[in-house]
Amino acid sequence: MARIVKAPDDRRREILDAAMELFAQRGFEATSLRDIAKHLGITPGLVYHYFDSKQKLFDEALECYAEDCAADFVRTLRASDLNLRQKIDALYHGVANGGPQRHRDFFHRQGSEGFHLRLSLRLCERVQPHLVEALKQARRREGICVRDPETLASFLLHGHIGIMSAHADANAATLVRLREYVDALLDSQIENECFT
């Protein structure tokens, strides 16, 4: 078989994607670096060149997956043509329509709770600064003031992910209730005038 040479970043991403695919199919424990190499049709040595252990490979794959999962949320929060409520509407719409589904079965399967918790925390860490900025923009652009945007963003993100994680098959009614709570919380935090 002819060897296919790829740019290092492309090869690294290919290995990460294949690893997550196999972890999702077989589980973390049942997947070896040799399995990943065989799946890609490359030598195990090439996988070891990029990742010297399965744990390091998984850690980086988890980071990439968290970044992929957060991308739509971040894009929505950074949208300059939406006000705060429209951004929140768009976020809920994305979640209601399934949100990121890739590898969902792996993170929600029994025995993967620790992996799911790590993913949830990484998502919060990736999205939080963008939610904080959206809350601060609401002050500048919309003339509304949210007291302590950092704490509010952390509370909203960690609370939502905790609830959604505990209810992997959260239904539309759960999302409606969560949205009602967010609106009530925002209403209680919004001041008519900003005082510096």
XYZ file of all heavy atoms in Angstrom, residues 94-140:
385
model
N -31.063 26.338 19.001
C -30.025 25.367 18.646
C -30.076 24.127 19.519
O -29.966 23.001 19.019
N -30.278 24.310 20.810
C -30.362 23.168 21.726
C -31.616 22.356 21.425
O -31.581 21.125 21.377
C -30.341 23.628 23.202
C -30.660 22.484 24.138
C -28.992 24.244 23.540
N -32.748 23.039 21.187
C -34.013 22.348 20.906
C -33.935 21.524 19.627
O -34.585 20.488 19.513
C -35.150 23.359 20.803
N -33.116 21.970 18.688
C -32.979 21.251 17.431
C -31.853 20.231 17.458
O -31.379 19.794 16.427
C -32.789 22.230 16.273
C -34.061 22.964 15.961
O -35.136 22.406 16.039
N -33.947 24.237 15.640
N -31.417 19.868 18.632
C -30.453 18.786 18.753
C -29.046 19.209 19.066
O -28.283 18.427 19.606
N -28.658 20.420 18.720
C -27.295 20.854 19.001
C -26.286 19.871 18.426
O -26.605 19.058 17.561
N -25.069 19.920 18.915
C -24.053 18.996 18.414
C -24.393 17.557 18.775
O -24.622 17.249 19.932
C -22.774 19.435 19.138
C -23.098 20.726 19.801
C -24.572 20.829 19.913
N -24.477 16.686 17.792
C -24.867 15.292 18.018
C -23.714 14.306 17.860
O -23.814 13.176 18.292
C -25.990 14.900 17.049
C -27.269 15.663 17.284
C -27.881 15.331 18.625
O -27.976 14.179 19.019
N -28.268 16.356 19.368
N -22.671 14.722 17.211
C -21.558 13.827 16.951
C -21.007 13.271 18.262
O -20.766 14.023 19.195
C -20.480 14.632 16.222
C -19.532 13.828 15.454
C -18.729 14.759 14.557
N -17.432 14.179 14.385
C -16.294 14.812 14.566
N -16.279 16.064 14.909
N -15.162 14.195 14.387
N -20.869 11.990 18.367
C -20.324 11.286 19.539
C -21.213 11.392 20.773
O -20.787 11.089 21.879
C -18.905 11.762 19.887
C -17.971 11.782 18.728
N -17.788 10.702 17.908
C -17.186 12.765 18.239
C -16.911 11.012 16.968
N -16.535 12.253 17.143
N -22.451 11.825 20.609
C -23.378 11.958 21.732
C -23.552 10.628 22.468
O -23.572 10.596 23.691
C -24.724 12.478 21.230
C -25.775 12.596 22.314
C -27.085 13.136 21.725
N -28.179 12.988 22.627
C -28.433 13.777 23.653
N -27.631 14.785 23.900
N -29.466 13.574 24.427
N -23.676 9.545 21.703
C -23.896 8.241 22.332
C -22.748 7.850 23.256
O -22.966 7.279 24.315
C -24.097 7.157 21.270
C -25.404 7.325 20.517
O -26.304 8.022 21.044
O -25.521 6.780 19.414
N -21.531 8.178 22.866
C -20.382 7.843 23.712
C -20.449 8.573 25.044
O -20.293 7.983 26.108
C -19.072 8.174 22.998
C -17.864 8.081 23.898
C -17.409 6.844 24.333
C -17.200 9.217 24.320
C -16.301 6.746 25.178
C -16.097 9.127 25.157
C -15.650 7.897 25.577
N -20.693 9.873 24.994
C -20.670 10.663 26.224
C -21.881 10.414 27.112
O -21.822 10.664 28.306
C -20.521 12.158 25.896
C -19.136 12.506 25.443
C -18.857 12.686 24.106
C -18.099 12.606 26.361
C -17.564 12.984 23.686
C -16.807 12.897 25.955
C -16.544 13.088 24.610
N -22.962 9.897 26.543
C -24.162 9.641 27.338
C -24.346 8.167 27.701
O -25.305 7.834 28.384
C -25.403 10.161 26.604
C -25.514 11.647 26.629
N -26.035 12.336 27.683
C -25.113 12.584 25.733
C -25.985 13.625 27.446
N -25.416 13.809 26.269
N -23.435 7.309 27.268
C -23.603 5.894 27.591
C -23.207 5.627 29.035
O -22.399 6.354 29.629
C -22.829 5.017 26.614
C -21.405 4.739 26.997
C -20.718 3.621 26.207
N -21.072 3.575 24.816
C -20.218 3.383 23.831
N -18.950 3.210 24.091
N -20.611 3.347 22.586
N -23.806 4.598 29.589
C -23.483 4.206 30.955
C -21.999 3.852 31.031
O -21.469 3.170 30.163
C -24.333 3.012 31.377
C -24.200 2.686 32.836
C -25.191 1.609 33.258
O -25.898 1.040 32.454
N -25.212 1.345 34.547
N -21.340 4.369 32.042
C -19.914 4.149 32.200
C -19.071 5.306 31.694
O -17.869 5.358 31.939
N -19.690 6.224 30.971
C -18.957 7.379 30.433
C -19.257 8.661 31.195
O -18.966 9.751 30.714
C -19.305 7.584 28.948
O -18.807 6.534 28.163
N -19.819 8.542 32.384
C -20.202 9.722 33.142
C -19.021 10.655 33.413
O -19.165 11.880 33.328
C -20.868 9.330 34.472
C -22.177 8.604 34.321
C -22.038 7.091 34.096
O -20.895 6.574 34.101
O -23.075 6.443 33.914
N -17.871 10.100 33.731
C -16.686 10.919 33.981
C -16.251 11.682 32.741
O -15.889 12.862 32.812
N -16.297 11.015 31.587
C -15.954 11.675 30.329
C -16.962 12.787 30.039
O -16.606 13.872 29.589
C -15.946 10.682 29.167
C -14.911 9.599 29.293
C -15.228 8.292 28.982
C -13.622 9.877 29.717
C -14.281 7.283 29.077
C -12.668 8.880 29.816
C -13.002 7.576 29.497
N -18.241 12.502 30.304
C -19.283 13.486 30.039
C -19.118 14.715 30.937
O -19.289 15.847 30.489
C -20.673 12.867 30.226
C -21.764 13.757 29.762
N -22.553 14.463 30.618
C -22.166 14.087 28.504
C -23.420 15.175 29.920
N -23.206 14.971 28.647
N -18.771 14.477 32.185
C -18.549 15.592 33.109
C -17.394 16.470 32.620
O -17.487 17.702 32.618
C -18.279 15.074 34.515
C -18.001 16.131 35.582
C -19.177 17.090 35.717
C -17.704 15.466 36.919
N -16.310 15.840 32.184
C -15.168 16.602 31.663
C -15.564 17.421 30.445
O -15.182 18.580 30.309
C -14.015 15.661 31.298
C -13.271 15.137 32.510
C -12.127 14.235 32.141
N -11.175 14.881 31.251
C -10.308 14.235 30.501
N -10.242 12.917 30.537
N -9.470 14.875 29.725
N -16.334 16.806 29.541
C -16.787 17.525 28.356
C -17.665 18.707 28.755
O -17.506 19.815 28.234
C -17.564 16.589 27.424
C -18.200 17.253 26.201
C -17.139 17.867 25.293
C -19.057 16.250 25.441
N -18.577 18.496 29.695
C -19.467 19.562 30.151
C -18.672 20.739 30.713
O -18.960 21.904 30.399
C -20.425 19.031 31.219
O -21.244 18.024 30.682
N -17.682 20.441 31.528
C -16.861 21.515 32.100
C -16.078 22.268 31.029
O -15.964 23.493 31.072
C -15.921 20.953 33.163
C -16.605 20.453 34.434
C -15.609 19.748 35.338
C -17.293 21.594 35.169
N -15.550 21.533 30.066
C -14.794 22.187 28.983
C -15.707 23.070 28.138
O -15.307 24.140 27.694
C -14.089 21.145 28.095
C -13.011 20.358 28.815
C -11.934 21.241 29.437
N -11.188 21.949 28.409
C -10.807 23.228 28.478
N -11.080 23.951 29.529
N -10.144 23.779 27.492
N -16.948 22.629 27.916
C -17.900 23.452 27.174
C -18.165 24.758 27.918
O -18.169 25.836 27.314
C -19.213 22.696 26.967
C -19.241 21.698 25.827
C -20.508 20.862 25.888
C -19.134 22.402 24.496
N -18.405 24.649 29.222
C -18.637 25.855 30.032
C -17.450 26.804 29.937
O -17.625 28.011 29.746
C -18.886 25.480 31.494
S -20.496 24.739 31.796
N -16.250 26.261 30.054
C -15.052 27.102 30.003
C -14.893 27.785 28.653
O -14.436 28.928 28.580
C -13.812 26.258 30.310
C -13.744 25.798 31.748
C -12.658 24.754 31.986
O -11.913 24.408 31.033
O -12.557 24.275 33.127
N -15.275 27.106 27.586
C -15.123 27.679 26.248
C -16.186 28.735 25.949
O -15.918 29.711 25.262
C -15.164 26.586 25.183
C -13.919 25.731 25.184
C -13.949 24.722 24.056
N -12.720 23.962 24.025
C -11.583 24.393 23.502
N -11.530 25.587 22.968
N -10.516 23.635 23.508
N -17.394 28.526 26.450
C -18.501 29.421 26.122
C -18.572 30.611 27.077
O -18.969 31.715 26.677
C -19.832 28.633 26.109
C -21.025 29.554 25.922
C -19.811 27.567 25.016
N -18.160 30.437 28.332
C -18.350 31.473 29.342
C -17.806 32.844 28.959
O -18.516 33.845 29.094
C -17.784 31.047 30.686
C -18.061 32.102 31.750
C -17.794 31.616 33.148
O -17.560 30.442 33.376
N -17.820 32.536 34.092
N -16.576 32.976 28.477
C -16.101 34.334 28.167
C -16.953 35.020 27.100
O -17.114 36.239 27.116
C -14.664 34.135 27.690
C -14.437 32.683 27.580
C -15.546 31.965 28.247
N -17.528 34.258 26.206
C -18.357 34.830 25.144
C -19.720 35.261 25.693
O -20.269 36.274 25.265
C -18.494 33.844 23.996
C -17.163 33.439 23.436
N -16.437 34.259 22.590
C -16.402 32.338 23.639
C -15.290 33.669 22.286
N -15.250 32.511 22.912
N -20.250 34.503 26.643
C -21.499 34.911 27.283
C -21.267 36.154 28.139
O -22.079 37.080 28.140
C -22.072 33.774 28.129
C -23.390 34.059 28.846
C -24.460 34.574 27.892
C -23.867 32.808 29.590
N -20.149 36.197 28.838
C -19.808 37.397 29.626
C -19.743 38.610 28.707
O -20.305 39.674 29.006
C -18.472 37.207 30.383
C -17.966 38.527 30.950
C -18.619 36.160 31.479
N -19.073 38.477 27.583
C -18.963 39.591 26.641
C -20.332 39.994 26.098
O -20.614 41.185 25.929
C -18.004 39.248 25.496
C -17.741 40.394 24.544
C -17.230 41.661 25.223
O -16.490 41.582 26.224
O -17.580 42.761 24.739
N -21.204 39.023 25.817
C -22.556 39.340 25.332
C -23.330 40.132 26.382
O -24.063 41.075 26.052
C -23.300 38.063 24.969
N -23.156 39.760 27.654
C -23.822 40.499 28.729
C -23.260 41.915 28.849
O -24.006 42.877 29.057
C -23.669 39.746 30.053
C -24.408 38.404 30.139
C -23.953 37.625 31.369
C -25.908 38.598 30.138
N -21.956 42.060 28.672
C -21.344 43.391 28.715
C -21.771 44.226 27.510
O -21.981 45.439 27.623
C -19.822 43.281 28.780
C -19.322 42.761 30.118
C -17.810 42.625 30.115
C -17.300 42.130 31.464
N -15.831 41.972 31.468
N -21.896 43.595 26.348
C -22.355 44.312 25.158
C -23.774 44.820 25.349
O -24.129 45.890 24.847
C -22.305 43.405 23.928
C -20.970 43.331 23.280
C -21.012 42.488 22.024
O -22.048 41.955 21.636
N -19.862 42.345 21.387
N -24.585 44.043 26.049
C -25.959 44.476 26.307
C -25.961 45.796 27.056
O -26.825 46.646 26.834
C -26.715 43.405 27.093
N -24.981 45.992 27.884
C -24.862 47.266 28.615
C -24.508 48.399 27.656
O -25.126 49.460 27.671
C -23.792 47.128 29.699
C -23.544 48.405 30.456
C -22.459 48.233 31.492
N -22.401 49.429 32.313
C -22.120 49.436 33.591
N -21.865 48.317 34.217
N -22.078 50.554 34.260
N -23.523 48.155 26.802
C -23.066 49.205 25.883
C -24.077 49.481 24.762
O -24.326 50.632 24.428
C -21.728 48.805 25.258
C -20.570 48.765 26.228
C -19.239 48.581 25.513
N -19.150 47.348 24.742
C -18.665 46.197 25.225
N -18.260 46.115 26.480
N -18.598 45.135 24.457
